[in-house]
């Protein structure tokens, strides 16, 4: 049986044609086939670097058929490069499924790393980068979207979101309505001529984009919730009942004392020891 080929995940520029590595160019020249999310865009890149290779399209709506084709070629021993529309394959694009299939078929998968819009936006935001969450595109279904945004209410890590220009104002308004005021950085057209990072508040961003049409691609970077706000919010929420009553309520609902104390500590954002100490005093 022929030796299996290698699947190369090749990162390509997110706007600036110069953002491509020497290894990426060599791999694109050497593989047998390039599977591209947007063949027209990839062709432009290949022409720019004078690379001539067979191209096949691989995008969300044809990936089921194309998975078989690409995996078939790899199993025959052909080397394949997967490139996305822009940036790193597998990040908010259909690439991840092909990777999963390749792994299941015992095919070697390797990465030629490079630009990722999320990382560029994150580091340019000025917010903490030591801990962050990548949300990609928010779900389009209203109920799921709401749930997802609400799950960020107590998120203290910096949050990175992808958004298309025509949905930007709607998303900013939803974030403001569900999370309240937050600092945000809107990283637009990264690496391109009109690259722009607007650092403001959610309400400021809404005002700005109600007066000017959003243009280009955006990475939204939200500052995480402050620990202090979370503690104050919890204290306010439970200020009308004492810790003892709070624990008793849960015990009446069937929890044992230890479980009730744990739940109260979690909800009030205090330690179990503090709950215990207060129960002993009262
Ligand atoms: N795989 C890509 C990556 O590695 O970043 C992301 C692909 S996703 C389909 C496209 C989204 O990425 C856009 O809607 C936008 O949110 C973000 N994006 C891509 N290029 C960008 C750029 N030059 N400036 C700002 N955001 C960009």
């Amino acid at each position: 049986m022929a030796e299996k080929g290698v699947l190369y995940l090749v990162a390509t520029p997110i706007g600036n044609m110069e953002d491509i590595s020497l290894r990426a160019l060599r791999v694109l020249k050497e593989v047998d086939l390039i599977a591209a999310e947007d063949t027209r865009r990839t062709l432009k890149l290949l022409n720019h670097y004078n690379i001539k290779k067979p191209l096949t399209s691989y995008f969300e709506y044809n990936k089921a058929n194309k998975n078989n084709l690409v995996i078939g070629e790899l199993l025959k021993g052909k080397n394949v490069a997967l490139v996305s529309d822009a940036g790193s394959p597998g990040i908010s694009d259909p690439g991840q499924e092909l990777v999963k299939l390749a792994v299941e078929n015992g095919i070697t998968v390797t990465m030629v790393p490079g630009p990722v819009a999320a990382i560029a936006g994150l580091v340019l935001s000025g917010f903490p980068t030591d801990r962050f969450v990548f949300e990609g595109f928010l779900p389009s279904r209203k109920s799921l979207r709401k749930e997802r945004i609400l799950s960020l209410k107590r998120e203290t890590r910096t949050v990175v979101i992808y958004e298309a220009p025509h949905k930007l104002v709607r998303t900013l308004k939803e974030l403001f309505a569900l999370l309240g005021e937050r600092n945000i950085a809107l990283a637009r057209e990264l690496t391109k001529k009109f690259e722009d990072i607007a650092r403001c508040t959610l309400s400021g961003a809404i005002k700005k984009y109600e007066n000017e049409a959003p243009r280009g691609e955006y990475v939204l970077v939200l500052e995480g919730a402050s620990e202090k706000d979370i503690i104050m919010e919890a204290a306010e929420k439970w200020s009308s009942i004492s810790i003892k009553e709070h624990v008793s309520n849960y015990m009446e609902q069937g929890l044992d004392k230890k479980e009730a104390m744990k739940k109260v500590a979690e909800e009030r954002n205090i330690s179990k020891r503090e709950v215990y100490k207060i129960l002993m005093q009262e």
Side-chain angles (χ1 to χ4, degrees):
M1 212 170 80
E3 209 179 306
K4 293 170 191 166
V6 174
L7 174 62
Y8 293 89
L9 309 174
V10 181
T12 55
I14 55 170
N16 190 320
M17 284 283 198
E18 290 175 11
D19 293 333
I20 185 129
S21 72
L22 297 175
R23 183 171 166 232
L25 292 175
R26 180 178 60 73
V27 168
L28 291 173
K29 277 183 197 148
E30 287 178 1
V31 288
D32 301 293
L33 175 69
I34 300 174
E37 193 186 359
D38 180 341
T39 47
R40 272 177 42 197
R41 204 162 163 169
T42 302
L43 205 56
K44 241 172 100 181
L45 179 77
L46 296 182
N47 286 340
H48 188 84
Y49 288 102
N50 216 1
I51 299 170
K52 290 181 179 49
K53 274 288 140 172
L55 262 183
T56 185
S57 64
Y58 181 86
F59 53 89
E60 189 61 34
Y61 301 102
N62 76 355
K63 69 179 181 197
N65 291 333
K66 287 299 169 100
N67 277 337
N68 293 338
L69 183 141
V70 174
I71 296 292
E73 291 299 301
L74 287 159
L75 290 175
K76 276 192 257 167
K78 304 281 187 212
N79 292 324
V80 180
L82 176 69
V83 300
S84 68
D85 194 1
S88 293
I91 300 296
S92 292
D93 67 35
Q96 58 174 303
E97 215 164 291
L98 186 61
V99 175
K100 182 169 172 269
L101 270 179
V103 172
E104 282 166 9
N105 280 277
I107 291 160
T108 303
V109 186
T110 187
M111 177 91 195
V112 182
V116 186
I119 298 298
L122 170 72
V123 292
L124 288 171
S125 70
F127 298 139
T129 55
D130 46 352
R131 295 166 70 239
F132 65 91
V133 212
F134 176 59
E135 282 291 341
F137 291 102
L138 292 170
S140 38
R141 244 183 60 205
K142 212 172 165 193
S143 56
L144 284 181
R145 236 175 123 77
K146 186 172 172 191
E147 208 176 287
R148 185 71 56 85
I149 295 175
L150 280 175
S151 75
L152 300 172
K153 200 161 170 62
R154 305 179 70 186
E155 178 56 73
T156 54
R157 292 169 291 183
T158 303
V159 181
V160 185
I161 298 170
Y162 280 164
E163 193 48 285
H166 62 284
K167 294 190 191 150
L168 182 71
V169 174
R170 173 189 156 195
T171 298
L172 291 173
K173 284 184 172 168
E174 285 174 342
L175 289 170
F176 182 66
L178 298 167
L179 303 180
E181 191 65 295
R182 284 272 181 103
N183 289 324
I184 184 172
L186 299 99
R188 183 176 86 90
E189 297 284 84
L190 290 163
T191 77
K192 302 185 198 177
K193 190 174 169 191
F194 296 108
E195 175 177 292
D196 173 56
I197 321 290
R199 300 176 184 90
C200 51
T201 55
L202 272 174
S203 62
I206 294 169
K207 229 180 257 159
K208 172 179 162 78
Y209 286 108
E210 273 179 342
N211 291 319
E212 68 181 65
R215 280 222 193 112
E217 307 197 75
Y218 285 83
V219 177
L220 308 181
V221 188
L222 263 188
E223 190 171 35
S226 88
E227 305 263 4
K228 205 174 115 213
D229 288 350
I230 292 174
I231 292 169
M232 272 170 53
E233 187 194 88
E236 236 168 69
K237 186 170 170 194
W238 300 107
S239 61
S240 59
I241 60 167
S242 71
I243 288 186
K244 192 171 181 185
E245 283 166 334
H246 200 166
V247 173
S248 303
N249 285 351
Y250 280 125
M251 288 175 69
E252 277 160 26
Q253 286 169 34
L255 295 191
D256 67 28
K257 194 168 180 180
K258 214 169 137 195
E259 286 166 342
M261 281 168 50
K262 187 171 168 231
K263 211 158 161 48
V264 168
E266 273 167 15
E267 287 179 348
R268 291 184 177 245
N269 234 305
I270 56 179
S271 71
K272 278 184 284 181
R273 253 182 55 184
E274 275 175 276
V275 177
Y276 180 76
K277 237 168 75 185
I278 288 166
L279 286 189
M280 290 295 105
Q281 286 164 6
E282 284 182 11

